[in-house]
Amino acid sequence: MSKAGRLVVLVSGSGTNLQALLDASADAAYGARVVAVGADRDGIEGLSRAERAQVPTFVEKLRDHPDRRAWDKALAARIAEHEPDLVVSAGFMKIIGAPTLEAYPVLNTHPALLPSFPGAHGVRDALAHGVKVTGCTVMLADAGVDTGPIVAQETVRVLDGDDEATLHERIKTVERELLVDIVGRMAREGWAVNGRTVIIGGAS
């Protein structure tokens, strides 16, 4: 049974999911603590949020390395400096490579109910398909695109007149709450993976 007390959170933008985790972890009873925030670019609000919370940050830019493999190794090395129990991809806009995935469990979110509508345009694709209910997924990342074991999902109803922006905004609100809940439960109760089934608590 794994624990998830020490978190390294990876961001590429505004860091609203990161902020939700920072706010939750301010309470010792939450069970998890953000020990570092990493990014693939500088000058972003996600890093500023971490700095305001006095959480260490690092930036590993792809363009600073000769190829993607070198960047993958460098990112994993920077993460390792902070000895996380869990890595959280919170709006991180790069695919995380094998050096990190093989060393740590990586939690990711997706704005659709996987396995439906994977990829970069989950909200747009769900709308185009005409679904009446969509939602968000928290999963453990693997080498595929949105193919890892599903940890939790929540539904969001598609309203008449929804466009991609309005629907995505409601999904993001639900996603933040679900991510905070799941990370806290993983930290407090422990978790395990049996095939593609993720079990939180109640197992040894």
Side-chain angles (χ1 to χ4, degrees):
M1 207 63 175
S2 300
K3 294 288 186 179
R6 292 175 60 85
L7 311 176
V8 168
V9 182
L10 302 179
V11 297
S12 290
S14 63
T16 53
N17 280 352
L18 165 64
Q19 187 65 58
L21 289 168
L22 289 169
D23 292 345
S25 63
D27 182 353
Y30 181 62
R33 179 169 59 95
V34 181
V35 297
V37 173
D40 61 334
R41 64 197 72 186
D42 48 27
I44 60 172
E45 177 62 15
L47 291 173
S48 298
R49 291 178 189 273
E51 289 161 3
R52 288 194 293 270
Q54 298 183 313
V55 172
T57 63
F58 62 88
V59 177
E60 203 61 58
K61 300 177 186 178
L62 181 58
R63 68 170 181 261
D64 290 342
H65 298 277
D67 55 33
R68 183 58 181 259
R69 179 176 293 185
W71 178 80
D72 286 339
K73 291 181 178 178
L75 179 65
R78 297 297 293 274
I79 291 170
E81 292 173 6
H82 302 281
E83 301 180 338
D85 300 307
L86 183 70
V87 176
V88 181
S89 176
F92 191 58
M93 300 307 292
K94 294 284 191 299
I95 294 174
I96 296 172
T100 297
L101 294 176
E102 292 170 2
Y104 306 103
V106 177
L107 207 62
N108 197 5
T109 62
H110 183 69
L113 295 174
L114 295 173
S116 297
F117 314 115
H121 305 293
V123 179
R124 182 191 309 174
D125 293 344
L127 273 174
H129 198 76
V131 301
K132 303 306 180 186
V133 175
T134 184
C136 57
T137 301
V138 176
M139 82 204 93
L140 289 169
D142 63 9
V145 177
D146 299 327
T147 57
I150 292 170
V151 181
Q153 294 179 302
E154 285 288 347
T155 59
V156 174
R157 188 167 297 280
V158 180
L159 304 179
D160 293 341
D162 260 338
D163 59 21
E164 185 178 358
T166 59
L167 179 56
H168 200 179
E169 197 57 40
R170 292 206 314 284
I171 291 172
K172 286 191 289 187
T173 298
V174 174
E175 178 185 88
R176 281 193 291 273
E177 294 174 357
L178 182 61
L179 179 64
V180 168
D181 177 61
I182 290 302
V183 168
R185 287 186 58 206
M186 290 171 75
R188 294 188 303 272
E189 302 172 32
W191 58 280
V193 181
N194 181 9
R196 288 194 55 83
T197 301
V198 180
I199 302 162
I200 299 178
S204 58

